[in-house]
Structure formats: C-alpha cells, structure tokens
Amino acid sequence: MNLTLLPGGAVEVTERADFPVNRGALCGKGRTAPALLSPEVRLTSPLVRSQGVLRPAGWDEALDRVAEGLSRTRAEHGPDALGVFGGGGLTNEKAYALGKFARVVLGTSQIDYNGRFCMSSAAAASVRAFGLDRGLPFPLEDVPRTGCVILVGSNLAETMPPALRHLTELRENGGTLIVVDPRRTRTAEQADLHLAPRPGTDLALALGLLHLVVAEGRTDEAYIRERTSGWEEARAAAMAHWPEYVERITGVPVPRLREAVRLFCAPKSAMVLTARGPEQQSKGTDTVGAWIDLCLATGRAGRPYSGYGCLTGQGNGQGGREHGQKADQLPGYRKLTDPAARRHVAEVWGVDPDTLPGPGRSAYELLDALGTDIRALLLMGSNPVVSAPRAAHVEERLRSLDFLAVADVVLSETARLADVVLPVAQWAEETGTTTSLEGRVLLRRRALSPPAGIRSDLEVLHELAARLGVEKGFPVEPQEVFDELRRATAGGPADYSGITYRRLAEENGVFWPCPAPPGSRAGVSPGVLTDDPVQEESPSAVHPGTPRLFLDRFATGDGRARFAAVSYRDSAEEPDETYPVLLTTGRVVAQYQSGAQTRRVDELNAAAPGPYVEMHPRLAERLGAADGEPVAVVSRRGRAVAPARISPAIRPDTVFMPFHWPGEGRANTLTNPALDPTSRMPEFKVCAVRLERVGGAPEDGSGAGRV
Ligand SMILES: Nc1nc2c(c(=O)[nH]1)N[C@H]1C(S)=C(S)[C@@H](COP(=O)(O)OP(=O)(O)OC[C@H]3O[C@@H](n4cnc5c(=O)[nH]c(N)nc54)[C@H](O)[C@@H]3O)O[C@H]1N2
Ligand SMILES: Nc1nc2c(c(=O)[nH]1)N[C@H]1C(S)=C(S)[C@@H](COP(=O)(O)OP(=O)(O)OC[C@H]3O[C@@H](n4cnc5c(=O)[nH]c(N)nc54)[C@H](O)[C@@H]3O)O[C@H]1N2
Ligand SMILES: [Mo]
C-alpha cells in the first residue's frame, strides 16, 4: 500500500497497483489501519503499576522499573528466570534485536514467540524434507500458472483476501482448485472439489491420496530416483492406509479421494499449499510431511510451477522466524546448537561464543513455566491472554509472575496484567523490513512520526540494554540494525547479506537467499558497514536474489528431498461420551488475531461484532438451540459462552469458533495445549467439547439442551 500524509495529519491509504503480490488489492483491515494511529485508541504514555493499579509515568521511571525488575530477578534466580516473548508482527530488525537482547544482555535461553503457534509445524516438516523452510519456495505469482492447487486448511478468502485473485486466475487459466476444510468456507466455495474431513484427520487423508497414487501407477519413478531419498519406507507406510480405512477416519468418501488424485495428477505441474488447518495439530509436522510426500511421489517439488508451500500468516511471519526470537535459533535461520553458527554470530555481536545460552522452551512451555522457574517476562508484540491455548491457565501464570513488562501499541488484555506497559510506535511510524510468505524482503518506510510520548521497540531495547550495562550494540536506527543483521545472516540459510535498504527501495523486494558479492564487507568481517555493495561492486556481481528455490537441488546434504515415513494417529483428544463434539477454531475476515488492534476499529467491529459458535442445523436441533441463542461450549479446560450460528456449511460432528475475543466467548479457554513432539505446536484445531443450552432443555421438548 502507499501511505500519504494529508494536510492536517491524517494518513490516506491508496493502492499500489505495481506490486505483483496484491496488485493494489487490500482487505478491510489494511484499508482501515490508519484508524489505529489515532491517540484515542492507543497508549500515549508509559504506565506503571502502583498499589495495584496502572498509572501514567514518565519514560525514565518506566524503563528504570523494567531494568530493576529484570535485574532483581536475575540476581535472585539466575538468568534463565527471565523470559522473553516476541511476535511475528515485529519487523526483522526488531525480531533480531530482541533475540540478541535476550542472549547478550539478559543471558537467558528462555525466549520464544507467537510464530510457534503459527507455522512451526510446516517449518519443521519443510526443514526435514527440503533442508530449508521458506513459506513458499516460489513467488505467489506462480500459483495461477500451475495446473492444480490443493489448498489444505486455508481460508484464504477471509485470511488473505488479496491473494484470492491468484486462485481465481488459476481457474481462469484452466487449472483446478481442491480445498480441504471441515467447513464449506468462502474459499471452499471457489473450489472444483471440496473435501471436508473430520478435524485432525488430514494425515490420514494425505496418506490415502498417496496410497491411490501408488495403486493407480501415478508415481514419477525417474524423479523419485534422481531427486529424493526414503521412498521405500514412505511407500510402505502409505500402502497401509487403504482408501476405505481413510474414508472411515476422515469421512471423505473414496470416490472423492479418487477424484482428488485424478485432478492433482492430470496436469504437468501442481502445488500443495497448507495453512493452519492441518498444521495446528499435535501431529502437524507429520501431517505436512505426508502432504510433501504426495508432492515428491508425483514429481511436484523443485520443478517450475510445482511444489509445496505454507501460507504463512502474520505481517512478518516469515522474517519473524528467521532472525533469532525463536528458542533454538540464531539470525539467518541458523541453529543455536551449531558451533560454527555460534562462532559466526558471536563474532558479529562481539561476544565470546561460550557466553551464548543454549536453546530454551517453546512458546506454550514457556508460558506454562511463568511464575515457577520463569519469574519475570518481557513481552513484545503478542497478546497471549487471548491467543494462547488453555488461555485461562496462561492468564493465571502471567498473574503469578514477580514482574511483567509489556511493550505494545494498545492496552491489550495482556498489557492490563503488566507491572510496566511501554507504549511503542507502530507500522506507519517507523521504517523497517518484513519478509513476505514468499521469502521476499520488503522495506516498509515510515510515513509519519509517532505522537509525543511514544518510543520505538528499538529505542526500548537500546535504553534497557544501557540500563543493564550494555552500552553498545543496540542502535535505534533500523538501517543500522539491518546492516548488522546482514552480517549476522551471511553464509546462513536465510542469507540477507546482499540485501540493502537501497535495493529494497528500488526493487519490488528481494528474495532470500541473497548473499553479498564475494569479498564484499557485508559478507565477511564485522565492523561498521558503511558502503552499499550496490555501489561498491560491479553490477554483475550483485546477487539477484532467489525467487525460486530447489530447481537444481534441495537444500539437504545430498541435494535430495527426504520422504517422511509417517502413519496416522488420533488427535490428543477424541470425542467420547462426556465430550462428544469436536471444536475447531480459526478466523473471520474483519478481525485480526487476538483482536487487540481490529477490535479498536469501528468499521471492523460492525462487520464482526463478537464471538459465535458455528454449528450444523442437525447438531443445533439435537441441542434444541435457535440461531443467535447463547450456548455454552465446555471442554476439559473450561467453559465459553457465545451465540449459536447455525449453518449447513460445517460438518455435523464439529463446531467452529473464531478466537479473536477475550472474556466469556474466548475460544482459547477451551483449546488443548497438547504439543506436536517436533514443532511444539499446540493443537488449536482439535479438541473435544460438549454443548449446553444456557437456559437448559427447551420446554417444547425440541432438543436435549445438551449434546
Ligand atoms: N482476517 C484475518 N486474516 C488473517 C489473520 C486473522 O486473524 N484475521 N491472521 C493471520 C495469521 S497470523 C494466520 S496464521 C493466517 C491463518 O490463515 P488460515 O489458516 O486460513 O486461518 P484459520 O481460520 O485459522 O484456518 C483455516 C481453516 O482451517 C480449517 N480447519 C479447522 N480444522 C481443520 C482441520 O483439522 N483440517 C483442515 N484441513 N482444516 C481445518 C478452518 O475451518 C478454517 O477455515 O491468517 C492471517 N490472516
Ligand atoms: N484458538 C486459536 N488460537 C490461536 C490461533 C488459532 O488459529 N486458533 N492462531 C494462532 C496464531 S497462527 C497466531 S499468529 C497467534 C497470534 O496471536 P497474538 O500473538 O496474540 O497476535 P496479535 O493479536 O497480533 O498480537 C500482537 C500484539 O502486538 C501489538 N503490536 C502490533 N505491532 C506492534 C509493534 O510493532 N511492536 C509491539 N511491541 N507490539 C505491537 C498489537 O497491538 C497486539 O497487542 O494466535 C494463535 N492463537
Ligand atoms: Mo499466525
């Protein structure tokens, strides 16, 4: 989008038709985003808690309190008693600085971020299969040029509306779209074929399709031989998943499975794209692994217009997972356990590699440890009181902390619990880079200054570092941070060293990996980077960036993609007599995440005023609930109440709740924090519940009042 500062200070959003990803299209949240710049909806002064209540304070007092809270805890309980929680909405510069702050200034291993709740299963599966995780290994513009897309558990029409046109074009070009979703969503309505499995059974579905691919002789044997490893084991595992068995588990009839295989295998190229549906499961990594297997068995990865991709969510969902706010990670998508990576990054940071802590806990595990062995927390860019699984427990853990500091734009539900709240600048008010789901690094330029009394996250980290005894290494200028980030990522999987602000301003983004020209300063030694390689090097030495990955080889040691030999297993909670219905959760178009931002925009609230429980007419009839009537949804974690929304678009054995609201209708009161063993992703998409009519059984006997 383009932002124009109007006389009088208002900001106008206009479309930017020359940008290839959205070609100017925006959703309502983008269009109305300037409403959030208004001082009426945001924090305008730091707040500190005294005698139980938050009161306005000056910056010095607030920052002193945070530094004191953190250093007292560290002195009493050691550095690992300090936790840091970040967000995938932070720019690359902030995510990088936050990770460095945790390891260098606090010396804690206990840092993770909300991206763990987002795409960590897809990332783990991609690393396992391809040796590298970049949401899409190709530009979004490739989607209309493929022959068939299987879209698994993505409601793109609501969650990425500007991207929907790529699917529309796909179909205009003669390609086909298969949507896998337990609900007939706006996205599923666009599909040539809609498969509606029971939540939590995508793993069986993918293996069933792979079984049919083998049984019908549709594998690409030459490709399997030349470009993959591990096929025999994966094939054997898939062969155990007979179509009839898969139909029993998923509820998807065998003829529909066959139809999907036919549509997927007929054209020369095809793609599988997954989103949170199959990923936010306690078996998300294996599930994505099985969908990747389907691509590999049919020769549909690392070839033009073919491949597997993950539709990454947040504004910087991609870059946010690359630069070290993740528990096991150093910048450039390096591993904290890799001695060479530690040496490289420690040199850039000017510290002894032995002082860098090891990997810490994953997001839910970190939140669960608050108040026990983690006693103080610095939170930047997330609102877990609404968005974490088993949220009532997480809220109680947050309350039990010795000290909580929150940096946010607004007084979120989590900020309300803090000892100190630091009001920070937001998107339009500061420059920084983000990386799109396609691995395209973008420069977001500041359009206006934040109101008086607001500081940036980088300033906050700079000030806190200084108060904690680290005077250097936390610049407040985003470009300075980016230039250091370039050096820290040089030679890593997500290599940004050849990317400069200047290039980003001139090009429509640059895809990583983009190494600096050999011998240029960004690639090698630390020290202040003043020269821009674009100026410094001959133009031919400038790396163009990498829009398409894996065309020659995969990023594994031997260059081959690895099959995953996986088998179906149940969800952590299957329905039983006490909790006979499945709950799944997700999003609506007009609200964003925990709603901290979008619930403050009138136009969006009018479009989506509150939570609801979507249920099939047959389920509503058994319950005896009318449309709009409040119903209680009860799980082993708690009870939530919201109006019924009766719709034939959902399976009769499943209810759906959007998770954007706090309070009585909070979906995450109910969700199960069962974790995927590899990615540590919680099972947001499946848990067992029962439904109760709030007023008891209807008097006319039309339903049981309880299901
Ligand atoms: N309007 C809006 N847009 C957003 C966001 C937002 O909050 N609001 N958030 C952004 C972020 S961070 C993210 S991660 C993305 C998420 O984008 P999506 O993944 O598209 O969003 P969800 O609604 O969480 O889930 C997608 C679909 O998964 C389905 N589903 C539920 N259970 C299962 C299952 O077991 N299997 C399968 N196959 N499908 C299942 C749901 O019915 C839902 O339609 O959206 C981004 N865009
Ligand atoms: N039941 C259920 N729960 C889910 C999901 C689901 O599908 N179902 N999805 C999960 C997913 S995919 C995600 S990504 C999470 C997201 O959930 P959260 O992490 O809670 O995401 P947001 O609501 O975007 O919170 C971001 C916070 O940062 C603030 N903020 C915005 N910009 C800045 C900035 O520049 N600096 C600072 N310091 N703060 C800023 C915002 O005001 C807001 O309070 O929710 C997860 N929770
Ligand atoms: Mo997300």
Side-chain angles (χ1 to χ4, degrees):
M1 60 169 79
N2 284 328
L3 297 178
T4 317
L5 197 55
L6 301 177
V11 172
E12 186 188 42
V13 172
T14 48
E15 44 177 67
R16 188 164 150 192
D18 66 328
F19 190 63
V21 178
N22 64 340
R23 280 181 252 145
L26 293 172
C27 73
K29 300 188 297 309
R31 218 177 4 85
T32 59
L36 288 165
L37 299 169
S38 153
E40 274 148 46
V41 299
R42 70 193 294 186
L43 293 161
T44 49
S45 149
L47 305 174
V48 300
R49 190 171 297 279
S50 66
Q51 291 162 345
V53 291
L54 285 171
R55 62 154 172 85
W59 271 97
D60 278 333
E61 183 190 354
L63 289 164
D64 286 347
R65 281 273 290 266
V66 179
E68 243 170 63
L70 297 175
S71 46
R72 189 172 344 107
T73 302
R74 184 168 57 180
E76 283 171 21
H77 303 280
D80 273 355
L82 304 179
V84 177
F85 200 92
L90 302 177
T91 59
N92 291 320
E93 290 78 0
K94 296 183 197 186
Y96 171 85
L98 190 64
K100 180 180 178 185
F101 180 84
R103 273 98 182 199
V104 173
V105 179
L106 302 181
T108 182
S109 64
Q110 301 299 307
I111 172 169
D112 210 45
Y113 79 119
N114 68 7
R116 182 76 66 172
F117 296 159
C118 187
M119 39 15 77
S120 58
S121 291
S126 288
V127 168
R128 193 161 73 179
F130 306 128
L132 187 69
D133 154 49
R134 198 183 82 184
L136 302 183
F138 41 74
L140 212 52
E141 300 156 80
D142 280 5
V143 169
R145 306 200 217 166
T146 190
C148 174
V149 171
I150 308 186
L151 194 61
V152 192
S154 158
N155 186 9
L156 197 93
E158 298 208 48
T159 56
M160 301 177 182
L164 187 65
R165 60 174 52 196
H166 296 290
L167 294 178
T168 313
E169 269 173 39
L170 164 77
R171 299 192 62 221
E172 285 165 6
N173 294 346
T176 51
L177 175 65
I178 304 173
V179 169
V180 182
D181 196 306
R183 302 186 301 139
R184 188 168 180 83
T185 58
R186 285 189 209 170
T187 312
E189 277 168 8
Q190 312 284 318
D192 298 281
L193 179 66
H194 172 211
L195 308 179
R198 205 163 65 90
T201 63
D202 302 81
L203 176 52
L205 186 73
L207 290 167
L209 298 181
L210 187 55
H211 181 113
L212 284 170
V213 161
V214 176
E216 295 177 3
R218 294 179 185 269
T219 52
D220 185 336
E221 295 295 327
Y223 174 93
I224 292 175
R225 221 172 22 248
E226 282 153 30
R227 299 211 54 188
T228 71
S229 62
W231 171 230
E232 277 317 307
E233 295 80 359
R235 181 181 187 279
M239 290 324 280
H241 295 73
W242 290 91
E244 295 72 18
Y245 167 68
V246 169
E247 172 177 326
R248 233 175 17 253
I249 295 172
T250 61
V252 178
V254 175
R256 305 211 119 212
L257 299 174
R258 289 193 191 280
E259 176 65 359
V261 166
R262 193 184 66 76
L263 291 177
F264 185 66
C265 292
K268 227 174 83 202
S269 57
M271 295 174 178
V272 173
L273 305 177
T274 66
R276 303 306 81 76
E279 298 170 15
Q280 289 173 327
Q281 299 182 15
S282 60
K283 50 180 174 284
T285 307
D286 284 353
T287 300
V288 174
W291 285 105
I292 293 176
D293 283 359
L294 183 69
C295 293
L296 296 178
T298 52
R300 292 162 184 302
R303 283 178 163 172
Y305 311 120
S306 276
Y308 163 76
C310 153
L311 295 168
T312 295
Q314 297 178 80
N316 194 27
Q318 182 64 45
R321 77 201 201 217
E322 298 166 357
H323 300 301
Q325 58 177 332
K326 191 159 170 260
D328 57 354
Q329 195 187 60
L330 288 170
Y333 228 132
R334 286 182 153 101
K335 281 205 130 4
L336 198 44
T337 46
D338 170 3
R342 292 170 70 89
R343 273 196 306 277
H344 175 87
V345 175
E347 197 193 333
V348 175
W349 288 353
V351 300
D352 177 348
D354 293 338
T355 62
L356 294 179
R361 289 183 185 83
S362 75
Y364 178 75
E365 292 167 291
L366 190 158
L367 296 171
D368 187 38
L370 300 181
T372 56
D373 45 327
I374 300 178
R375 311 221 45 103
L377 180 72
L378 171 65
L379 191 136
M380 198 172 256
S382 181
N383 186 13
V385 167
V386 180
S387 59
R390 196 188 171 198
H393 171 72
V394 167
E395 186 173 346
E396 184 240 324
R397 293 291 86 214
L398 283 159
R399 286 181 196 277
S400 73
L401 280 167
D402 295 343
F403 183 77
L404 172 62
V406 174
D408 205 307
V409 178
V410 298
L411 192 61
S412 70
E413 286 70 24
T414 309
R416 284 177 193 280
L417 306 182
D419 296 289
V420 179
V421 183
L422 303 169
V424 291
Q426 48 179 318
W427 57 286
E429 298 163 347
E430 48 183 3
T431 294
T433 61
T434 61
T435 304
S436 79
L437 75 166
E438 346 162 74
R440 188 196 303 254
V441 184
L442 301 162
L443 181 63
R444 189 176 75 189
R445 270 167 295 187
R446 164 176 161 142
L448 77 170
S449 313
I454 302 292
R455 298 203 184 168
S456 73
D457 290 298
L458 291 178
E459 285 173 300
V460 166
L461 294 175
H462 171 87
E463 291 290 330
L464 290 178
R467 281 168 170 78
L468 293 163
V470 180
E471 297 286 345
K472 285 215 175 74
F474 291 88
V476 300
E477 278 307 320
Q479 185 163 2
E480 238 180 282
V481 180
F482 188 76
D483 283 341
E484 185 184 304
L485 177 155
R486 293 169 56 201
R487 280 185 282 118
T489 65
D495 190 330
Y496 282 43
S497 57
I499 305 176
T500 59
Y501 269 30
R502 175 198 296 257
R503 273 187 79 173
L504 294 176
E506 286 167 1
E507 302 171 33
N508 261 335
V510 178
F511 291 83
W512 70 255
C514 179
S520 87
R521 283 185 239 171
V524 278
S525 64
V528 183
L529 184 89
T530 47
D531 294 323
D532 187 328
V534 174
Q535 278 183 312
E536 199 178 315
E537 313 293 334
S538 73
S540 64
V542 170
H543 193 288
T546 316
R548 294 177 184 84
L549 292 168
F550 312 141
L551 291 179
D552 302 323
R553 66 192 305 280
F554 294 97
T556 51
D558 59 6
R560 290 166 177 272
R562 291 181 286 244
F563 276 98
V566 291
S567 296
Y568 176 71
R569 57 182 191 272
D570 282 345
S571 299
E573 249 179 24
E574 291 288 339
D576 57 18
E577 273 175 22
T578 327
Y579 300 100
V581 176
L582 284 171
L583 167 72
T584 192
T585 60
R587 300 163 161 80
V588 299
V589 65
Q591 296 287 354
Y592 186 68
Q593 316 272 60
S594 75
Q597 293 164 285
T598 46
R599 282 185 277 110
R600 289 175 164 81
V601 179
D602 293 341
E603 183 182 329
L604 301 176
N605 271 334
Y612 58 86
V613 186
E614 182 177 308
M615 64 177 80
H616 192 273
R618 286 215 293 280
L619 186 58
E621 195 183 323
R622 278 170 57 208
L623 182 65
D627 194 55
E629 177 187 321
V631 294
V633 185
V634 186
S635 82
R636 288 183 177 83
R637 270 77 43 202
R639 174 190 171 93
V641 177
R645 182 174 290 184
I646 301 177
S647 159
I650 187 166
R651 294 175 55 100
D653 56 5
T654 302
V655 294
F656 169 84
M657 289 179 77
F659 77 98
H660 309 292
W661 293 272
E664 199 184 40
R666 178 173 66 183
N668 276 320
T669 302
L670 306 165
T671 48
N672 187 356
L675 301 181
D676 178 282
T678 309
S679 66
R680 322 303 287 168
M681 164 74 84
E683 192 141 73
F684 286 116
K685 288 292 187 269
V686 203
C687 73
V689 296
R690 71 168 176 265
L691 306 176
E692 290 168 4
R693 232 177 135 249
V694 171
E699 281 166 18
D700 60 4
S702 62
R706 188 174 159 148
V707 173

